[in-house]
Amino acid sequence: MRALHRWRRPAVTVAATLTALTLGTGIASAGPGGWDRPTPGSDGAGDSYYPQDGNGGYEVSDYDLKVNYAPDTHQLAGLQTVHAKATQSLSSFDLDLRGLTVDAVRVNGAPAKFTRTGDHELVITPKSPLWKGLPFTTEVAYHGVPAAIDDPNLGKNGWQFTKSGGAFAAGEPKSATTWYPVNDTPRNKAKFRLSITVPDEWGVIANGREVGKYRTRAGTTHVWAEDTPTASYMTTVAIDKWTFNKRQRADGTPIVSAYAPGTTDATKQADAQLPEVLDFLESKFGKYPVDAAGGIYLTEPIGFSLETMSRPIYSGRAGNISTIVHENAHQWWGDTVAVDHWKDVCLNECFASYATWLWAQKNGEDLDATYRTKVASASDQFWAGKLYDMGPGHEFTYVYSKGPVMLHALSKYLGQEAFDQVLKTWNSVHHNGNASMQEFQKYCEKVSGMDLQGFFDAWIYGNGKPSDEYLYPGDLKPAAG
């Protein structure tokens, strides 16, 4: 994330959606004697900042979401199929969904009871217990008008409407729950397939690769598939009268960008540099870790741009090369390697922000001079800013400013060769997984052979101005005056 301060409605009915639910597959599994007693899964994944987000007792492997959306009324009708495996024997389990009306639920093809609690819990009780270690399938039919989440720092997150009549989904740390049922925690990354039907005159772009498009009586169905395991807040869809720019990387990776009506020539020119940006980032961080690329360029001046998987979404006031570098760096730092907990968010934002420094260096900027200038002008408030465990609602603050300064100091403290090796190999070590700041520290120590506790205490775990040992390592020391 980078913060910045008339048609006939399709004949889609709840009854039709419920009929689709009868196509569920599988039967409930019975556990042999001696297996653990079925109990309810937890209603949260246990993150210290957002303990009720996500759920326990199962792990989702993929989502297969079918949606009909009517731009004139904002009505959405969805059928979500969740493929998961029980990590405990379950008598009930939760999915996360905000506001929308649930019409029916089936688990392994059988009707299941369900209730709603809190602001986003969908509690599902299957007809038969779900046994630990076995896969199960859940289908949820639902409908309604999606509503965004109001964030005090970044404004609206989740499903939002455009002035043109279109819509898009974007937000961090919460977004997906506003438009589909989900296990909403970055620790449960899953594949994501979306089939969305809209009137013929509207275009659609989403994560991954477009794998199909066909006409129906209700309009045109667009099918997109993201095969890279993805944290739910990184999923997106955007509906508008798009102009598309389709290209390929040299290795054949498709690059699909979409420009909303009114997108400036300057933004299109910045997007034209995306192949060069990806090549550059690949030279710094290792092989591009996703099988698709591109950008979604809004004209709405929302309060952020976001690193949605494979295809970042850009605020109408942020279609510039620096933001494009930042959001695409997240494909390595934050997307294919996601945070273990939200207090680790520097592993996303500090590195994406430092990528813009590296891009500036490529274009002739002296990063040592940049570092010294920023250190000399830094305020007490800057030094007090935290880069780790900064507290809920404060994640997206000093990681953008203090974060890249810290990383430049780390490059000098480790030595450039070791630092470059860390940057280029970290993704391959944790690819498609999650990681913590402590794991990053240990990896830096392994690569460099150094004890880095002092540096990490001074810059990351603490919140004061580092001593000169850590503030001016290597050749960053000011000249004697």
Side-chain angles (χ1 to χ4, degrees), residues 35 50 128 149 200 268 353 397 458:
W35 284 20
Y50 307 103
S128 301
I149 303 164
D200 294 335
K268 294 176 183 178
S353 298
T397 50

Side-chain angles (χ1 to χ4, degrees), residues 31-84:
W35 284 20
D36 57 328
R37 180 175 61 87
T39 55
S42 63
D43 63 356
D47 185 84
S48 58
Y49 292 179
Y50 307 103
Q52 297 306 117
D53 288 0
N55 305 284
Y58 65 93
E59 189 85 7
V60 177
S61 60
D62 60 271
Y63 298 99
D64 189 351
L65 177 59
K66 297 178 175 61
V67 168
N68 283 59
Y69 182 67
D72 64 340
T73 63
H74 297 169
Q75 281 284 335
L76 181 152
L79 175 62
Q80 171 72 296
T81 302
V82 182
H83 299 278

Side-chain angles (χ1 to χ4, degrees), residues 2-323:
R2 197 174 201 192
L4 309 169
H5 299 175
R6 187 144 165 126
W7 70 286
R8 186 170 59 85
R9 184 179 177 185
V12 174
T13 65
V14 170
T17 308
L18 295 178
T19 298
L21 281 171
T22 65
L23 301 178
T25 59
I27 59 173
S29 302
W35 284 20
D36 57 328
R37 180 175 61 87
T39 55
S42 63
D43 63 356
D47 185 84
S48 58
Y49 292 179
Y50 307 103
Q52 297 306 117
D53 288 0
N55 305 284
Y58 65 93
E59 189 85 7
V60 177
S61 60
D62 60 271
Y63 298 99
D64 189 351
L65 177 59
K66 297 178 175 61
V67 168
N68 283 59
Y69 182 67
D72 64 340
T73 63
H74 297 169
Q75 281 284 335
L76 181 152
L79 175 62
Q80 171 72 296
T81 302
V82 182
H83 299 278
K85 178 184 287 187
T87 57
Q88 68 177 70
S89 292
L90 292 166
S91 57
S92 66
F93 63 95
D94 290 21
L95 288 169
D96 301 312
L97 181 67
R98 291 176 177 267
L100 299 167
T101 299
V102 175
D103 303 305
V105 177
R106 299 177 84 91
V107 177
N108 290 332
K113 296 179 181 179
F114 62 91
T115 59
R116 308 291 294 271
T117 64
D119 67 353
H120 66 263
E121 298 292 342
L122 170 61
V123 185
I124 299 169
T125 303
K127 187 175 182 179
S128 301
L130 304 173
W131 299 102
K132 181 179 179 179
L134 295 183
F136 66 95
T137 300
T138 303
E139 297 160 291
V140 182
Y142 64 102
H143 74 280
V145 176
I149 303 164
D150 283 322
D151 184 281
N153 297 314
L154 293 171
K156 291 184 177 181
N157 281 247
W159 192 275
Q160 301 174 60
F161 306 109
T162 67
K163 292 178 182 178
S164 68
F168 63 93
E172 184 184 10
K174 307 168 194 287
S175 173
T177 57
T178 64
W179 64 292
Y180 66 88
V182 61
N183 189 23
D184 195 27
T185 168
R187 300 191 75 186
N188 188 176
K189 302 164 79 174
K191 296 181 180 181
F192 181 72
R193 183 182 180 92
L194 172 66
S195 302
I196 180 166
T197 304
V198 295
D200 294 335
E201 65 269 25
W202 293 90
V204 170
I205 190 165
N207 306 95
R209 298 188 179 211
E210 187 175 23
V211 296
K213 182 167 64 174
Y214 54 91
R215 296 285 298 274
T216 71
R217 287 184 297 175
T220 300
T221 300
H222 305 258
V223 185
W224 291 81
E226 179 55 81
D227 290 332
T228 303
T230 302
S232 52
Y233 78 89
M234 298 175 195
T235 62
T236 190
V237 65
I239 303 153
D240 215 317
K241 308 289 180 66
W242 303 107
T243 299
F244 290 96
N245 182 11
K246 299 182 179 182
R247 298 153 285 173
Q248 285 188 344
R249 296 192 69 207
D251 64 3
T253 301
I255 302 175
V256 181
S257 293
Y259 310 135
T263 298
T264 65
D265 288 341
T267 292
K268 294 176 183 178
Q269 290 163 8
D271 176 66
Q273 296 183 67
L274 180 55
E276 179 188 354
V277 168
L278 295 177
D279 289 347
F280 171 75
L281 294 174
E282 191 171 73
S283 75
K284 296 296 183 181
F285 303 146
K287 180 177 172 56
Y288 181 62
V290 198
D291 67 354
I296 303 170
Y297 295 90
L298 307 174
T299 50
E300 310 300 311
I302 60 174
F304 58 89
S305 296
L306 184 64
E307 61 272 19
T308 39
M309 180 68 81
S310 73
R311 192 158 290 109
I313 190 165
Y314 298 93
S315 167
R317 52 186 176 180
N320 55 67
I321 192 62
S322 178
T323 305

Side-chain angles (χ1 to χ4, degrees), residues 437-469:
M437 183 58 76
Q438 288 74 27
E439 288 175 303
F440 179 73
Q441 177 186 338
K442 290 177 182 177
Y443 189 62
C444 289
E445 290 175 337
K446 178 181 178 180
V447 171
S448 66
M450 300 170 66
D451 181 348
L452 299 175
Q453 194 63 48
F455 182 94
F456 275 70
D457 284 343
W459 273 103
I460 297 173
Y461 304 136
N463 62 330
K465 186 175 182 178
S467 65
D468 284 359
E469 176 185 2

